[in-house]
Amino acid sequence: MRPRLITRRRLLQGSLAATAAIPLLNAELARGDEAVAPKRFVVFYTPNGTLESQWMPTGTETNFKLSPLLEKLEPFKSKLIPLRGINMNVVVNSNIGSEHARGIGGLLTGRALLKGNFRSFMSNNAGWASGISLDQHIANKLKPSTLFRTLELGVQVRDAEVRGRLCYSAPDQPIPPREDPYDTFEQLFGAAVPGQGGSEGGSAALDRLRAQRRTVFELLREEIADVRPRIGAEDRIKLEAHMQSIREIEQRLAGGGAPDGTGAPVTLCKPPALGARIDLSDDANMPAIGQLQMDLAAAALACDLTRIVTIQWSYAESEHLYPFLGLTENHHAISHQWNDAGKAKYTKIHTWFAEQLAYLLGKLDSYKEGDRSLLDNTVVLWVTEISESTQHALTNMPFLLAGSAGGVFRTGRFVDYLANGGRARQHNDLLVTIANAMGTDDTTFGDPEFSTGPLPGLT
């Protein structure tokens, strides 16, 4: 009888919803790996710009110091490329929409907004973006053989107008992000998670769903039992850790705890009043919701369920509250406080966002792919819709790259296009550069008037 083989995709597609570092099996029996790890693209969006003086690194290209707002990224400095001198001229002079609306609409499309009736910061003529976004364009061009062409995730986005949309399948065709991590988990991994509960009918339906859908662990139990005796000790340890991580994330999504290594449960989210689910409308739950979405994004990439992910925190011109940071005023109001107290509050928020990005980078870096990590095979683009918040500026954008897209980008450098009398570059050309790094043959992207080709000095 031919020995049973458990393929990488069979093992991973339904199961690697994990938060721990679980390297892929090395054994020959774990077949299905590609000769070269695929490239991935991740967009990490945060709202309301930044404080330029506190964001821009100092120093030279290879001998630079991360700024106060970027200090949380220090462990990944060798895998970063902070950028200076990137303008969004494609939306600077438009008279449609506020700078916030224009900024988020143009971030990934490289085009101005269409006219419409959306109100945004004293403007009431904003429509949707007038072009396809980079994530969708790359997926259309490369046609990845993944279950999900792209994955759009949101963390308390809430706004359903132009301010709350980052991705577009075509002009005037926004793509709403998935804001519910429980729905995300169900869609990605097909495991039953608790409903809102409360009704007898709902409980019965959930029981039927659970009866119909065994967990991935149960589905794979027979194959794993067959394979386990024929793999090495190192792979056996990985496999056991892998399966334990599956149980943990299912437990977390059900409102339970996960072991902390000592046997004691760790409460990773505050149980909501209605039972198992986190209250997605409570600003205090933003950290827990965001962590779940980032965990699921990393798992989806590691499982090769998708190779393109966008993670959108709130919306442009966000008025989010941050009670977990000890703040009582909303984000947008704080972003326009010029005094030292206001800047200190603003710094708290954006230092926290850098910490969230550091968490995601650490997650990606924990998955090993040969002599590289998942982060090494990914390009992460951190963006926001305006630059200096007090000015509503759309020039010298605080953009940052992380990961090398499989060795394409030369990381560990501060690329300053304004240094030594240099000239500013257009963000459309940054989008072209990323598309090329992913494998497209594009020479321009977005509005061709503002795109001349890939940026120099990145590859």
Side-chain angles (χ1 to χ4, degrees):
M1 178 181 297
R2 183 180 179 180
R4 178 179 302 187
L5 300 180
I6 180 169
T7 67
R8 174 178 183 265
R9 183 165 297 230
R10 174 69 185 255
L11 175 65
L12 293 178
Q13 275 193 339
S15 61
L16 192 55
T19 61
I22 309 298
L24 302 181
L25 298 183
N26 296 320
E28 185 179 355
L29 292 171
R31 295 181 180 174
D33 287 321
E34 297 176 356
V36 178
K39 297 177 183 179
R40 288 82 155 199
F41 176 41
V42 175
V43 177
F44 189 89
Y45 164 85
T46 57
N48 284 333
T50 191
L51 292 171
E52 184 178 328
S53 62
Q54 297 296 303
W55 191 94
M56 287 294 168
T58 56
T60 64
E61 177 182 356
T62 56
N63 184 19
F64 65 96
K65 180 180 180 181
L66 291 176
S67 57
L69 292 185
L70 299 181
E71 285 179 351
K72 296 294 184 179
L73 300 176
E74 184 67 33
F76 307 98
K77 184 178 177 182
S78 65
K79 300 189 179 189
L80 303 180
I81 308 178
L83 299 167
R84 180 170 180 257
I86 303 292
N87 294 345
M88 289 183 65
N89 285 0
V90 70
V91 295
V92 166
N93 296 320
S94 172
N95 60 1
I96 302 175
S98 71
E99 291 87 351
H100 287 282
R102 282 184 262 155
I104 193 169
L107 269 177
L108 297 185
T109 66
R111 290 186 178 272
L113 296 180
L114 299 167
K115 288 185 178 180
N117 299 314
F118 298 135
R119 182 175 179 82
S120 62
F121 196 68
M122 302 176 67
S123 172
N124 59 6
N125 68 342
W128 301 117
S130 61
I132 188 172
S133 55
L134 182 65
D135 55 312
Q136 301 302 307
H137 171 77
I138 292 173
N140 288 346
K141 292 272 285 193
L142 300 182
K143 296 179 174 57
S145 59
T146 53
L147 188 60
F148 296 86
R149 292 174 63 257
T150 59
L151 181 62
E152 298 78 30
L153 301 179
V155 182
Q156 295 187 319
V157 174
R158 298 174 179 168
D159 195 290
E161 299 185 350
V162 64
R163 301 182 305 175
R165 296 296 178 260
L166 186 64
C167 304
Y168 289 79
S169 60
D172 209 25
Q173 296 294 320
I175 301 174
R178 298 173 183 267
E179 297 188 56
D180 186 339
Y182 306 96
D183 173 67
T184 302
F185 183 80
E186 177 68 24
Q187 292 297 315
L188 288 173
F189 305 105
V193 294
Q196 295 290 353
S199 69
E200 185 176 341
S203 297
L206 182 57
D207 288 341
R208 287 194 299 272
L209 179 60
R210 285 171 173 163
Q212 292 166 357
R213 285 185 160 181
R214 293 176 294 167
T215 66
V216 172
F217 178 72
E218 291 168 334
L219 289 170
L220 292 174
R221 186 192 304 270
E222 183 180 352
E223 290 189 3
I224 290 171
D226 185 60
V227 168
R228 184 182 285 109
R230 297 183 289 113
I231 61 177
E234 181 181 354
D235 280 340
R236 196 173 297 121
I237 292 172
K238 293 177 186 177
L239 189 60
E240 294 296 339
H242 174 77
M243 300 313 296
Q244 177 60 28
S245 69
I246 299 165
R247 301 184 195 102
E248 289 176 10
I249 198 167
E250 289 181 313
Q251 185 180 22
R252 290 173 58 196
L253 287 170
D260 65 357
T262 64
V266 178
T267 302
L268 298 177
C269 60
K270 181 180 179 181
L274 292 180
R277 285 180 176 257
I278 300 171
D279 182 355
L280 302 181
S281 66
D282 187 347
D283 285 358
N285 288 333
M286 190 183 208
I289 298 166
Q291 182 171 321
L292 282 173
Q293 294 287 56
M294 289 187 290
D295 287 346
L296 291 168
L301 292 167
C303 299
D304 206 26
L305 291 172
T306 189
R307 297 173 186 176
I308 302 171
V309 175
T310 54
I311 303 176
Q312 179 181 338
W313 296 79
S314 194
Y315 61 94
E317 195 186 326
S318 171
E319 295 180 323
H320 221 91
L321 300 177
Y322 295 82
F324 51 90
L325 296 179
L327 303 175
T328 57
E329 297 164 278
N330 78 67
H331 189 183
H332 189 248
I334 290 172
S335 74
H336 288 288
Q337 294 178 4
W338 293 60
N339 57 27
D340 290 342
K343 290 181 178 179
K345 288 180 282 188
Y346 190 77
T347 295
K348 268 190 176 183
I349 296 172
H350 285 265
T351 299
W352 183 78
F353 276 130
E355 187 175 6
Q356 304 318 296
L357 178 59
Y359 176 87
L360 177 63
L361 298 184
K363 187 63 54 183
L364 298 178
D365 210 33
S366 71
Y367 293 108
K368 303 306 176 186
E369 297 184 326
D371 59 354
R372 288 180 173 150
S373 70
L374 176 56
L375 175 58
D376 296 326
N377 292 319
T378 302
V379 54
V380 180
L381 173 64
W382 183 13
V383 292
T384 184
E385 80 272 14
I386 58 174
S387 53
E388 179 66 38
S389 65
T390 58
Q391 303 295 322
H392 276 187
L394 292 163
T395 56
N396 201 18
M397 300 297 294
F399 293 160
L400 178 144
L401 297 175
S404 67
V408 175
F409 294 115
R410 292 184 291 120
T411 59
R413 299 180 301 127
F414 171 35
V415 177
D416 182 358
Y417 290 109
L418 302 181
N420 303 315
R423 63 180 178 86
R425 309 290 175 143
Q426 296 307 313
H427 103 286
N428 291 59
D429 290 342
L430 174 60
L431 302 181
V432 175
T433 307
I434 293 171
N436 290 172
M438 288 294 293
T440 78
D441 58 358
D442 297 293
T443 56
T444 65
F445 184 77
D447 188 336
E449 183 180 346
F450 298 92
S451 184
T452 59
L455 291 174
L458 293 184
T459 59

